[in-house]
Amino acid sequence: MIPANSNTLTRIEIVQGNIVNQQVDAIVNAANTTLLGGGGVDGAIHRAAGPELLAECRSLGGCPTGEARITSGYRLPARHVIHTVGPVYRDGRHREPELLASAYRSSLALAEEYRCRTLAFPAISTGAYGYPKEEAARIATSAVAAWLEEHALPEKVTFVLFSAEDYNIYEKFVKKK
Ligand code: APR
């Protein structure tokens, strides 16, 4: 739970919607290590950004789990796409929590490096990669809150949840007093 008195709570927002529509400086893609596209968030972002996105991704040579890479946003409203690779959930005893937290931190670090003031995250690893949603939300919100305590950028982070169920899970962790 994010301490209510910290200013970080005002810099975190949750919305229910589609990440491709977010009017932010960068959106985060829930990618795989090849960076060559997929389904879910990955499929939606590549469809909306257009073929130039895949062309740029091909030049990046993949991305290890827990790390992130940045590209242009092309036809998306967002200037950049930050591609990160979350862990495939097995049993919680194969470094999944650390790798998931690292995916969020790596994305935040690239957003800061590229002077992004606003950033939108999907619920990384909670779809095809099977991460339990509640545990993933706890890790995501605490990793982002910890970053915002120490950094001025991004100024604002939005968690974009696809379903009402996911939104309700996040609300518990980002409840405004
Ligand atoms: N906008 C926001 N959230 C979305 C969208 C969207 N357009 N589409 C799906 N989601 C939600 C899903 O409901 C899930 O809660 O994003 C979360 C992450 O789901 P996935 O996209 O399946 O991502 P992940 O679990 O990290 O699996 C990554 O799936 O698409 C492939 O190439 C990708 O191999 C990689 C794997």
Side-chain angles (χ1 to χ4, degrees):
M1 187 66 181
I2 298 162
N5 57 350
S6 67
N7 88 317
T8 53
L9 210 54
T10 61
R11 294 165 62 195
I12 293 177
E13 182 190 28
I14 51 174
V15 299
Q16 184 183 341
N18 189 324
I19 192 132
V20 302
N21 300 327
Q22 301 306 306
Q23 306 285 334
V24 291
D25 292 333
I27 60 171
V28 176
N29 182 19
N32 60 58
T33 55
T34 70
L35 294 185
L36 298 181
V41 168
D42 206 356
I45 288 178
H46 276 275
R47 272 194 303 281
E52 301 98 326
L53 178 59
L54 182 57
E56 184 173 358
C57 285
R58 284 194 203 290
S59 73
L60 299 177
C63 179
T65 301
E67 293 188 23
R69 301 288 185 271
I70 193 165
T71 65
S72 175
Y74 299 103
R75 300 175 195 171
L76 288 161
R79 190 168 82 238
H80 291 290
V81 179
I82 293 173
H83 307 261
T84 195
V85 182
V88 175
Y89 189 81
R90 293 170 59 182
D91 55 13
R93 294 199 302 273
H94 289 76
R95 299 187 58 238
E96 295 98 321
E98 302 87 270
L99 287 167
L100 184 60
S102 172
Y104 281 92
R105 273 197 302 273
S106 303
S107 301
L108 287 157
L110 275 176
E112 181 188 55
E113 184 184 337
Y114 282 74
R115 323 299 303 151
C116 298
R117 295 176 47 244
T118 54
L119 178 68
F121 278 106
I124 296 164
S125 282
T126 64
Y129 281 4
Y131 216 110
K133 291 179 181 279
E134 186 116 7
E135 179 58 13
R138 186 184 63 74
I139 291 168
T141 52
S142 53
V144 166
W147 175 275
L148 296 180
E149 294 282 346
E150 306 289 325
H151 299 262
L153 286 177
E155 291 169 359
K156 185 171 167 200
V157 173
T158 303
F159 290 105
V160 183
L161 291 322
F162 213 36
S163 71
E165 178 216 359
D166 293 359
Y167 181 91
N168 293 337
I169 289 171
Y170 267 74
E171 209 174 22
K172 284 186 284 187
F173 292 99
V174 190
K175 199 196 305 283
K176 310 246 182 230
K177 286 277 180 242

